[in-house]
Amino acid sequence: MPRRGTFISAVLIGIPGSSSAIATCFDGFPMTKNGQAGKALGIGMTASFIGTVGSVALATVLSPVIAEFALHLGPWEYFSLCFCAITLIASLSKGNIFKGIMAAGIGLLMGCIGMDPINGANRFIFGNIYLSSGISTVAQMLGMFAMCQIIRDSAKGEAKMPEADVVNMKGLGVGLKDIFENIKTILFAFASGLWIGFLPGMGSGISNMVAYGYAKSISKEPESFGKGNPAGVWASETANNASLGGALIPMMALGIPGDGITAMLIAGLTIHGLQAGPLFMTEQPDLAMLIFACVMVSAIVTYLVQIVTKRWFPYILKVPYHYLYTVILVICYIGGYGISNTMFNIYVMLALCLLAVFMSMAGLPTSPLVLAFILSSKLERYFRQGISYAHGSYKEFFTRPISATLLLVSVFCVIWPFLSDYLKKKKAVPAGAKSQGEVNDD
């Protein structure tokens, strides 16, 4: 269950194994190009272990407390929580906040395709029965991340594998000194990953980007980021694995998946007649603790296996670029076809790949789109349930304390970028203007 292998391809070939390792590519791959593949892999392994074990330990303690609290929440609070998650990531997007909001809007529109979550009516399927179940999340990820990354690398002319010393790969590659040198980055990445993982639907795909941005902002050499700075790998991998424990908290305590992995866990529990949520924590405490224990054990076992097999990872760099990327594309096609055993999802995958390419050209971030798409059904269902329970009234969203607080946070997330720019401009008043004013007074 831990996201422990996604950083390997990000470090060695610059293609993230999932959206959780996108920021790892920024400095992990340049480290490989600089002949530091062993150190980059060691940082990824250690940071992943720290993030997973620490966050799951906290989730074990916090989930029962939140489950008791969750019994008092209604659809109004859940709607506000999902809405807050979308606005938060839109405000953290690179560039103009309007581009982040625009991308989130596209994701919400995509989420409207398919069956209505309340009355079961088909919407925006245009007579195509394959769209009745909506757009596949797997097709979206394959198209907008894997295939798009390959196309962009080919367009930039980066069709060459870096050289790596596959002989000197013994040991972990990092020590306690490296951890203490980056302790501030690790602690913030852990805290941000835990919190962002708690927000439904956000998960590791967002936390690694946020932590990477923070690590760059506090660095004494921000210009070194993107060129092989180890702090970028520490931040990304600690955050995306810390989000695992954060995602487990809403899954176990609220019955809301924090990300795609916990969504599959909920599906597995449902198959066995179990319902994740507040009652699960109170009625099946032993089983709940067993799930946490399994995640902890898997993290330890994975870490030990990676230490032993680390020396073999760089051999992938010996595979010629045109062969390796061709295999990746074939796997994407197989994965797209395997979703429903039809060609339709392959067409969807290709269409979303083109959409991601055009969004990249236009400077639109893909993270808000993916998040909004994942949360769209929950956002609509909780909104309509809240209105129905309140007999057509909207005031419950604003009069219930928790719901109102989350909505205020959402408003602040939208306003803050503009307020921040205003404050920066106000502080940047040229000193010469003040001096000139003093001269005129004299």
Side-chain angles (χ1 to χ4, degrees), residues 2-203:
R3 306 174 181 87
R4 303 298 302 281
T6 59
F7 73 90
I8 297 174
S9 61
V11 168
L12 295 179
I13 60 178
I15 297 180
S18 69
S19 59
S20 65
I22 292 176
T24 308
C25 295
F26 299 161
D27 283 287
F29 190 49
M31 287 182 69
T32 298
K33 290 181 177 179
N34 297 336
Q36 296 180 303
K39 184 176 182 179
L41 289 172
I43 292 174
M45 290 156 47
T46 305
S48 299
F49 178 76
I50 293 172
T52 302
V53 172
S55 64
V56 174
L58 284 178
T60 305
V61 176
L62 295 178
S63 291
V65 178
I66 295 177
E68 290 290 332
F69 175 73
L71 292 173
H72 304 287
L73 300 181
W76 307 276
E77 286 79 13
Y78 287 135
F79 165 81
S80 299
L81 186 60
C82 295
F83 184 76
C84 180
I86 294 175
T87 54
L88 176 61
I89 188 53
S91 66
L92 291 175
S93 302
K94 293 182 179 180
N96 196 324
I97 185 176
F98 290 113
K99 292 185 177 180
I101 295 175
M102 185 184 300
I106 296 174
L108 291 175
L109 287 175
M110 290 171 57
C112 292
I113 298 174
M115 189 175 295
D116 187 295
I118 301 297
N119 56 31
N122 286 324
R123 304 178 301 187
F124 305 111
I125 66 171
F126 305 104
N128 191 326
I129 59 172
Y130 295 112
L131 287 175
S132 299
S133 58
I135 296 176
S136 169
T137 304
V138 176
Q140 184 192 54
M141 293 298 179
L142 290 175
M144 301 194 75
F145 288 100
M147 297 187 68
C148 180
Q149 183 70 28
I150 294 174
I151 290 175
R152 283 188 294 185
D153 286 346
S154 299
K156 292 177 182 178
E158 299 177 354
K160 184 179 179 181
M161 303 304 297
E163 295 291 334
D165 188 359
V166 297
V167 178
N168 299 319
M169 281 288 170
K170 296 181 180 180
L172 188 57
V174 294
L176 292 176
K177 181 181 178 181
D178 297 285
I179 296 176
F180 287 122
E181 286 178 351
N182 296 275
I183 190 65
K184 188 175 180 181
T185 298
I186 293 172
L187 290 176
F188 177 84
F190 180 83
S192 62
L194 191 69
W195 166 243
I196 293 176
F198 174 79
L199 297 175
M202 293 191 73

Side-chain angles (χ1 to χ4, degrees), residues 329-343:
L329 284 174
V330 170
I331 292 174
C332 289
Y333 285 121
I334 293 174
Y337 183 83
I339 299 169
S340 59
N341 294 328
T342 63
M343 287 294 295

Side-chain angles (χ1 to χ4, degrees), residues 123-345:
R123 304 178 301 187
F124 305 111
I125 66 171
F126 305 104
N128 191 326
I129 59 172
Y130 295 112
L131 287 175
S132 299
S133 58
I135 296 176
S136 169
T137 304
V138 176
Q140 184 192 54
M141 293 298 179
L142 290 175
M144 301 194 75
F145 288 100
M147 297 187 68
C148 180
Q149 183 70 28
I150 294 174
I151 290 175
R152 283 188 294 185
D153 286 346
S154 299
K156 292 177 182 178
E158 299 177 354
K160 184 179 179 181
M161 303 304 297
E163 295 291 334
D165 188 359
V166 297
V167 178
N168 299 319
M169 281 288 170
K170 296 181 180 180
L172 188 57
V174 294
L176 292 176
K177 181 181 178 181
D178 297 285
I179 296 176
F180 287 122
E181 286 178 351
N182 296 275
I183 190 65
K184 188 175 180 181
T185 298
I186 293 172
L187 290 176
F188 177 84
F190 180 83
S192 62
L194 191 69
W195 166 243
I196 293 176
F198 174 79
L199 297 175
M202 293 191 73
S204 55
I206 311 304
S207 60
N208 73 103
M209 300 294 292
V210 174
Y212 183 86
Y214 172 79
K216 184 176 181 180
S217 67
I218 66 172
S219 175
K220 297 179 180 179
E221 299 177 344
E223 67 280 357
S224 65
F225 278 73
K227 300 178 182 178
N229 192 320
V233 183
W234 279 110
S236 174
E237 286 304 310
T238 302
N240 69 34
N241 283 273
S243 66
L244 170 61
L248 282 173
I249 295 174
M251 188 213 82
M252 301 294 287
L254 309 176
I256 300 176
D259 58 8
I261 294 177
T262 49
M264 288 188 286
L265 256 182
I266 289 180
L269 290 173
T270 303
I271 292 174
H272 292 282
L274 301 171
Q275 183 65 45
L279 296 179
F280 179 72
M281 294 295 298
T282 56
E283 295 177 357
Q284 302 281 347
D286 294 339
L287 184 57
M289 293 301 109
L290 179 61
I291 292 176
F292 290 127
C294 288
V295 178
M296 293 282 282
V297 171
S298 67
I300 296 172
V301 172
T302 303
Y303 188 49
L304 295 176
V305 170
Q306 286 180 340
I307 293 175
V308 174
T309 59
K310 172 191 168 186
R311 67 185 68 182
W312 298 320
F313 294 154
Y315 279 98
I316 193 174
L317 299 177
K318 298 295 184 179
V319 180
Y321 177 94
H322 52 280
Y323 291 144
L324 180 63
Y325 277 33
T326 301
V327 171
I328 294 175
L329 284 174
V330 170
I331 292 174
C332 289
Y333 285 121
I334 293 174
Y337 183 83
I339 299 169
S340 59
N341 294 328
T342 63
M343 287 294 295
F344 178 76
N345 279 309

Side-chain angles (χ1 to χ4, degrees), residues 411-423:
V411 173
F412 177 78
C413 289
V414 175
I415 295 176
W416 173 246
F418 303 102
L419 183 61
S420 178
D421 291 340
Y422 172 76
L423 294 176

